[in-house]
Amino acid sequence: MKLKTFLPILFTTFLLVFNSYASDIGIGTAGNAADSVVAPKVFINTGFENASPMNWEIDSAGRVIGSLVYDHERFSRNRAVNHFHFRVEAAPGTEVTIILKNFDNIWNNTPASSISKRTPFVVSFDDKTWESRPAELLPGNFLQIKLRMESPSAYIASLEPYRISDLDKFLDKIKKNKLVNITTIGTTSEGRSLEIIRIGNENAPKRLFLRARAHAFESGGNWTVQGLVQKLISNDEDSRRYLKRYCVYILPMANKDGVARGKTRFNANGYDLNRKWDKPADQIIAPENHYLEKWLEKMVKANKRPDLGLDLHNDPGGYLHVSRPDGDITAYLANMQKLEMLLRKYTWFTEGSTKPGFRNPGTLGEGFMERFGVQAAVYELNYEWIEGLKKAPLAADWLLLGSKLPEVFYHYFE
Ligand SMILES: [Zn+2]
């Protein structure tokens, strides 16, 4: 090859190599395509505890387009996204618009959107104090969030978060209290410990069992049991009166793996911990239920069968889900009516219970009754709106509910 021909090829090769090197280290070069890309002013950080996995990009209008990742159920078409939790990083004063996608859930093999016109979001500029704000439902089933940065980072979430670290801090605080007994009953699929907290004397006349957080995004149950425990160990006149009548057993966070990974509903193996309660749970696929069943069997054998079991959840309805397994449930239905009346009387609950004919087979409520003879129900806390307080919920509202529940159970066990 003649030198005249060779030099341009050599020069072109040099440019190609240099340009790829330059873009690797972030140097713009004249004529480089990278020049036409404007550096985004916003970064979405999902690298922290309970953050929701998501893909995101900045569109030509500078908006963040976030594609949330569905949580899939094993052996079904069901998929769910309700949980979002991420940190926006941008200069204070920046106006940020975020459009979130993938709320096209499939529920009982039927399409079911998980957002509505009144779906709110919560925001915190210091990861401590949260406020609720309205989001906007856009055509195409997208959720639009607009905010002005008040500090260099803003935490955004669907519900006020309650993480494993929050539970650990709480357990640390209460574990030395003489009214508290914490035992580990087993481990989750990924090896996280499953605790049962007992509050009060195990020989009290009545026993209550509560489970929270079977579904990973539903932090309301955790705040509620925290409020309840705080009231019960306050050692005031009321709490002493309560604990003379009953003691409480709580599995505070059943789906720890889902909470750790920022998932919406299922456990690490795609198992719904509030389904298939009509049969023993598989120790490998659903250890969170398996160990609870083993614990319950032990309680029943020891003549310590709970007199009432409640599974705390979040949904956009907020009803008390009365169980209706086959057989004579007359006494149970009367008790549920009493429970509903007491909830209305002593707490901000106004939503009521599910209508006659409603059945949700396989839930903890029905499984506890059919298999263990424990009267039980699923109590949903509305995550969009608390009608009794005329506001979108924050942790403080659920803590308040929890602090009032001991009075409800006191009269329930009368
Ligand atoms: Zn739930």
Side-chain angles (χ1 to χ4, degrees), residues 215 217-218 265 274 312-314 380:
H215 295 146
F217 89 101
E218 299 170 11
R265 189 174 178 99
N274 196 29
L312 300 174
H313 286 258
N314 276 122
E380 297 278 0

Side-chain angles (χ1 to χ4, degrees), residues 96-110:
V96 180
T97 299
I98 301 154
I99 295 174
L100 296 176
K101 303 198 295 190
N102 295 344
F103 296 101
D104 307 308
N105 289 2
I106 299 176
W107 187 234
N108 296 334
N109 291 319
T110 310

Side-chain angles (χ1 to χ4, degrees), residues 61-184:
R63 301 173 302 185
V64 176
I65 311 295
S67 302
L68 294 158
V69 177
Y70 286 108
D71 191 4
H72 290 268
E73 187 174 30
R74 182 178 285 248
F75 305 131
S76 94
R77 285 182 57 217
N78 290 344
R79 65 181 191 190
V81 159
N82 287 76
H83 179 73
F84 54 86
H85 186 190
F86 52 86
R87 187 166 69 221
V88 183
E89 296 172 4
T94 308
E95 301 284 348
V96 180
T97 299
I98 301 154
I99 295 174
L100 296 176
K101 303 198 295 190
N102 295 344
F103 296 101
D104 307 308
N105 289 2
I106 299 176
W107 187 234
N108 296 334
N109 291 319
T110 310
S113 166
S114 57
I115 49 173
S116 76
K117 273 186 180 152
R118 69 173 191 183
T119 301
F121 70 95
V122 291
V123 59
S124 172
F125 291 97
D126 60 4
D127 200 22
K128 285 188 191 87
T129 45
W130 293 80
E131 60 177 289
S132 180
R133 295 184 184 179
E136 196 184 332
L137 183 65
L138 298 185
N141 209 35
F142 306 142
L143 204 62
Q144 180 168 271
I145 288 169
K146 286 186 166 182
L147 81 154
R148 185 174 186 278
M149 296 299 288
E150 291 173 19
S151 74
S153 62
Y155 288 81
I156 305 268
S158 44
L159 275 71
E160 188 165 337
Y162 192 107
R163 294 145 290 209
I164 297 175
S165 58
D166 294 310
L167 177 65
D168 288 343
K169 260 183 257 167
F170 184 59
L171 294 182
D172 254 8
K173 225 166 87 180
I174 63 167
K175 71 181 178 199
K176 292 213 173 92
N177 190 302
K178 60 183 192 314
L179 295 168
V180 177
N181 176 279
I182 303 170
T183 49
T184 300

